[in-house]
């Protein structure tokens, strides 16, 4: 079968022919029906993202995966069956560190699908049963595929890390693959007002169509004045950095309300600095780190999307065959037509 493979040593990416894997004990073989192409995949390919513990030489990329169970390994519980529609958790616990022993999931010591073990940019992929989540027929397979990261990451940032409450104000920097869903989810959570910030006019227009109350250019000379005017002079209760750009952080922190929080969702791998620690402390500002989502967030999103409370059909910007994965990577890296999510399909 064709598979999008990355050499983690040389950073060479190519579609190669590999054998269809056989499920072991406690595993299922999943026929992949849709797999998202994420900016994190691009950063893995260009070498700007390196996760700890990536000991493989070559790996099949793809951490956003949905499909049907094709084969059951030994010892798989009866709740799973061949032909069942499922999505896959983007990672799994390492089972060794103190976080696992103390049942604290979601740490960086966990293993990421498509980095530390083979992912879903292929016709078939293996999954341990604890990472397999059945989905209802009412949930389209392409929307299911992007839930494990593109949707669950902003959802968890808003509901779990920030613990945002209705009527609190929120700003989003970067209206791309994560931020576009962040706007929708802030609207769903009752944030008011929602201010989207992006240098691209097309992204600002998209933010307004998705439910933002205001869409601002971060390069505008009167940017701070516009934010204060939109928030009755108070500033933002929460500023979400979905862009992962160092320049975003001081700007976002400068328009926080008293006791406001800067939530770091996008990753830059660079130092975090504060322009004025006295002002930061006097205003009782906070910086909250965020990474991915937890299994409970997938379960909630499956229910919400399956029952029509959330609809991410507009997020699918294009389809590519697995054999054309390199072209999908190029188009996302070059932002051709400013996509939200490109999806690989059989």
């Amino acid at each position: 079968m064709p598979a999008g493979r990355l050499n983690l040593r040389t950073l060479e990416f190519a579609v190669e022919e590999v054998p269809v894997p056989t499920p072991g004990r406690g595993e299922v073989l999943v026929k992949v029906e849709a797999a998202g192409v994420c900016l994190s995949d691009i950063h893995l390919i260009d070498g700007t993202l390196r996760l700890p513990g990536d000991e493989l030489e070559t790996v099949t990329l793809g951490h956003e995966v949905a499909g049907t169970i094709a084969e059951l390994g030994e010892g798989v519980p009866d709740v799973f069956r061949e032909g069942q529609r499922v999505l896959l958790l983007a990672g799994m616990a390492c089972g060794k560190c103190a976080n696992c022993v103390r049942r604290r999931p979601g740490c960086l010591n966990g293993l990421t699908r498509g980095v530390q073990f083979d992912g879903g940019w292929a016709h078939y992929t293996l999954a341990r049963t604890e990472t397999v989540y059945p989905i209802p027929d009412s949930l389209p397979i392409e929307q299911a595929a992007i839930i494990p990261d593109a949707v669950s990451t902003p959802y968890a940032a808003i509901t779990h890390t920030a613990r945002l409450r209705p009527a609190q104000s929120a700003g989003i920097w970067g209206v791309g693959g994560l931020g576009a869903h962040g706007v929708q989810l802030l609207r769903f959570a009752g944030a008011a007002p929602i201010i989207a910030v992006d240098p691209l006019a097309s992204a600002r227009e998209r933010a307004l169509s998705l439910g933002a109350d205001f869409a601002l250019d971060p390069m505008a000379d009167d940017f701070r004045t516009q934010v204060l005017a939109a928030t009755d002079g108070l500033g933002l209760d929460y500023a979400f950095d979905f862009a992962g750009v160092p320049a975003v952080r001081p700007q976002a922190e400068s328009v926080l309300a008293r006791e406001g929080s800067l939530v770091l969702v996008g990753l830059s791998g660079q130092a975090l600095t504060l322009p004025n620690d006295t002002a930061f402390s006097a205003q009782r500002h906070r910086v909250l780190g965020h990474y991915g989502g937890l299994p409970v967030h997938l379960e909630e999103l499956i229910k919400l999307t399956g029952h029509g409370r959330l609809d991410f059909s507009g997020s699918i910007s294009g389809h590519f065959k697995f054999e054309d994965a390199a072209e999908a990577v190029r188009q996302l890296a070059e932002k051709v037509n400013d996509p939200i999510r490109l999806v690989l399909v059989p």
Side-chain angles (χ1 to χ4, degrees):
M1 65 176 183
R5 304 276 288 173
L6 175 66
N7 187 306
L8 296 170
R9 304 291 181 265
T10 65
L11 301 182
E12 295 178 5
F13 175 77
V15 176
E16 305 172 355
E17 287 292 324
V18 300
V20 175
T22 301
R25 185 171 185 81
E27 294 181 330
V28 299
L29 180 68
V30 175
K31 184 179 186 299
V32 180
E33 304 288 355
V37 182
C38 175
L39 195 58
S40 296
D41 298 310
I42 307 302
H43 292 329
L44 285 167
I45 294 170
D46 65 24
T48 58
L49 177 60
R50 302 293 289 179
L51 296 182
D54 48 356
E55 299 173 353
L56 297 177
E57 180 175 346
T58 307
V59 69
T60 299
L61 295 180
H63 56 274
E64 295 183 338
V65 187
T68 55
I69 294 178
E71 185 179 345
L72 306 175
E74 294 184 8
V76 171
D78 293 340
V79 295
F80 299 105
R81 66 182 186 279
E82 292 184 4
Q84 191 173 28
R85 303 171 80 248
V86 296
L87 63 76
L88 306 183
L89 191 65
M92 62 184 178
C94 70
K96 301 175 182 178
C97 71
N99 288 292
C100 285
V101 172
R102 297 173 185 174
R103 296 185 180 180
R104 295 176 179 175
C107 73
L108 275 173
N109 291 327
L111 305 177
T112 302
R113 190 179 306 279
V115 182
Q116 287 103 343
F117 62 100
D118 284 340
W121 285 13
H123 284 254
Y124 293 90
T125 190
L126 292 178
R128 288 197 333 210
T129 53
E130 64 267 29
T131 70
V132 179
Y133 288 76
I135 57 175
D137 292 340
S138 57
L139 176 53
I141 202 75
E142 293 173 347
Q143 291 189 51
I146 67 173
I147 283 177
D149 183 16
V151 178
S152 67
T153 293
Y155 177 82
I158 293 165
T159 64
H160 180 78
T161 298
R163 301 189 186 279
L164 179 139
R165 301 189 306 275
Q168 290 186 305
S169 58
I172 280 187
W173 273 254
V175 193
L178 292 177
H181 298 124
V183 170
Q184 293 172 269
L185 292 164
L186 282 172
R187 186 90 179 186
F188 177 77
I194 300 168
I195 301 176
V197 183
D198 200 292
L200 296 178
S202 60
R204 295 196 297 273
E205 293 173 5
R206 177 166 63 201
L208 292 172
S209 70
L210 293 174
D213 299 291
F214 303 92
L216 307 182
D217 184 345
M219 307 304 293
D221 292 336
D222 62 343
F223 175 80
R224 176 177 167 79
T225 300
Q226 292 184 69
V227 173
L228 292 177
T231 56
D232 299 323
L234 296 175
L236 295 167
D237 294 311
Y238 291 98
F240 293 89
D241 173 17
F242 284 103
V245 176
V248 162
R249 283 78 184 267
Q251 182 181 60
E253 191 271 333
S254 72
V255 292
L256 287 178
R258 182 173 174 80
E259 298 189 348
S261 296
L262 169 61
V263 185
L264 305 180
V265 186
L267 305 175
S268 71
Q270 299 185 38
L272 175 65
T273 60
L274 297 172
N276 188 323
D277 61 349
T278 301
F280 180 88
S281 296
Q283 291 296 315
R284 300 182 184 275
H285 288 170
R286 291 166 291 182
V287 177
L288 303 174
H290 179 79
Y291 186 80
L294 299 176
V296 64
H297 302 130
L298 259 68
E299 294 170 358
E300 292 172 356
L301 285 165
I302 290 170
K303 183 179 292 186
L304 291 168
T305 312
H307 284 283
R309 300 301 188 271
L310 294 168
D311 180 5
F312 301 107
S313 57
S315 297
I316 310 303
S317 304
H319 303 82
F320 294 82
K321 297 292 186 181
F322 289 112
E323 294 83 348
D324 299 323
E327 177 61 16
V329 166
R330 184 193 71 81
Q331 291 199 19
L332 181 60
E334 297 177 6
K335 297 185 177 180
V336 176
N337 297 322
D338 194 20
I340 298 178
R341 258 310 181 266
L342 301 178
V343 175
L344 302 180
V345 296

